[in-house]
Each structure stands twice: as structure tokens, then as C-alpha cells.
Amino acid sequence: LLQCLFGYKLMRLWISVVGFLIGFALGAGISGLLIPKEDYALFLVVVIGLAVGVPAALIANKLYRVAVFFMILCPVFLAVSGLFDGGEKWLGWVGILLGVGIGILAGLLSLRFMRAWIILSTALSGGLCSAQLFLELFRVDAVPAVLGLGLLLALVGLVVQFKTTVPKKAEAKKG
């Protein structure tokens, strides 16, 4: 639900967190393979993971546009492919293919219309994912129910995000 309501404001945070996790995993994974198993091996692996994770977070933040593409692609893919998570095996593949295609399209559009598209995609994907998780609590898995509640939450997320964020051009005119 946070993604739905505050996705635009949280984008840089999520990009940094994902960059850190990727860097930590790479640093810790590679050092774990190379460091001999001794008393302080785990400590060294964690320290090396942190030493690689922090710069990776900074680099991810500097590569903002590339990171935005992937940060939009992933939740859109999950939201779309999740709608096709049904009993038929072929339906799952349709969901994966549509999720990848629509996710790539959403990522490309986010580069052209950054603020509006980030708000739209985070509100929509956050609303659909929140609706799916909420309705699962009540054992409701009907697609129309998920879509209805998801679109309602997305609409609320759109309004909240557009009201609480200022376009970059408007910020530049103020200053």
C-alpha cells in the first residue's frame, strides 16, 4: 500500500536499497567462495558485502534512469503476471509473457514521462498487489474482485501522489 500511495517519493529509496542488496549479495557471495573457512570467515564475508553494497547503492542512485526502468518493469510484471496465476499451466505462461511485455513497455514509457509514469505505474501496481494480498486474507481470488479493488486503490494512489508531489519544472520556477 505504501508503493501505491507514495511510490514516486519512495523511488530513490527503493533504487538505493535494491542497489545495496545486489552489491551486498555479490560481495558476500564472491568473498564467501574465496575466503578460507576459518573463525572470522563469516565476519569478513559480511564486511566485504557491506563494503561492496554501499558503493553499489550510490551507483544505483547515480544511474537513476536505468534504475527507474527496472524499478517500474518489476512491479508491473508482478502485478500483470499475478492476474494470470490460475489453474491452467498455459494461462501462467500467458501471464508471464504479458507481464514481461507490459513491464518493458511501462519501463520505456517511464523514461519519457518520468514523474507521471512513475506515479501511474506505482499506483497501479501497488493497488493491484495490495488488493491481491488483502483479498487473499478472505480467500477471495476472483479476478473481477481483485481488479475492482485494485483499480479503486490505484485511483486513490494516483490522487494522493499527484497532490503530494511537485513536477521538477515547477520546483525550478519556485527556486
Side-chain angles (χ1 to χ4, degrees):
L1 200 53
L2 283 175
Q3 182 76 354
C4 178
L5 299 174
F6 305 107
Y8 184 76
K9 289 184 174 188
L10 292 172
M11 185 59 70
R12 283 209 187 262
L13 171 70
W14 294 135
I15 287 170
S16 297
V17 167
V18 169
F20 172 80
L21 291 174
I22 290 170
F24 182 86
L26 286 173
I30 292 170
S31 64
L33 293 173
L34 299 176
I35 294 176
K37 309 292 183 255
E38 295 177 7
D39 291 338
Y40 299 106
L42 179 60
F43 175 75
L44 287 173
V45 167
V46 170
V47 168
I48 292 170
L50 290 171
V52 175
V54 170
L58 296 173
I59 290 169
N61 214 343
K62 289 293 180 193
L63 298 173
Y64 182 70
R65 292 179 65 80
V66 173
V68 164
F69 173 82
F70 286 105
M71 292 296 288
I72 296 297
L73 183 146
C74 291
V76 170
F77 165 76
L78 291 173
V80 171
S81 64
L83 292 174
F84 292 89
D85 188 20
E88 299 291 329
K89 188 174 183 176
W90 66 270
L91 198 56
W93 282 106
V94 168
I96 290 171
L97 293 174
L98 280 174
V100 167
I102 293 172
I104 289 172
L105 179 64
L108 291 172
L109 286 171
S110 74
L111 298 178
R112 176 75 174 114
F113 309 102
M114 189 77 73
R115 176 179 173 264
W117 196 254
I118 289 173
I119 290 173
L120 177 66
S121 60
T122 57
L124 191 57
S125 62
L128 287 172
C129 288
S130 296
Q132 269 184 306
L133 293 172
F134 178 74
L135 291 174
E136 279 181 14
L137 293 173
F138 301 101
R139 302 192 196 292
V140 175
D141 61 355
V143 172
V146 172
L147 282 175
L149 181 59
L151 292 175
L152 179 66
L153 289 172
L155 182 62
V156 171
L158 282 171
V159 171
V160 168
Q161 288 190 64
F162 273 114
K163 292 284 188 186
T164 60
T165 61
V166 179
K168 296 289 183 196
K169 291 177 186 172
E171 283 179 6
K173 288 179 185 176
K174 284 183 184 177

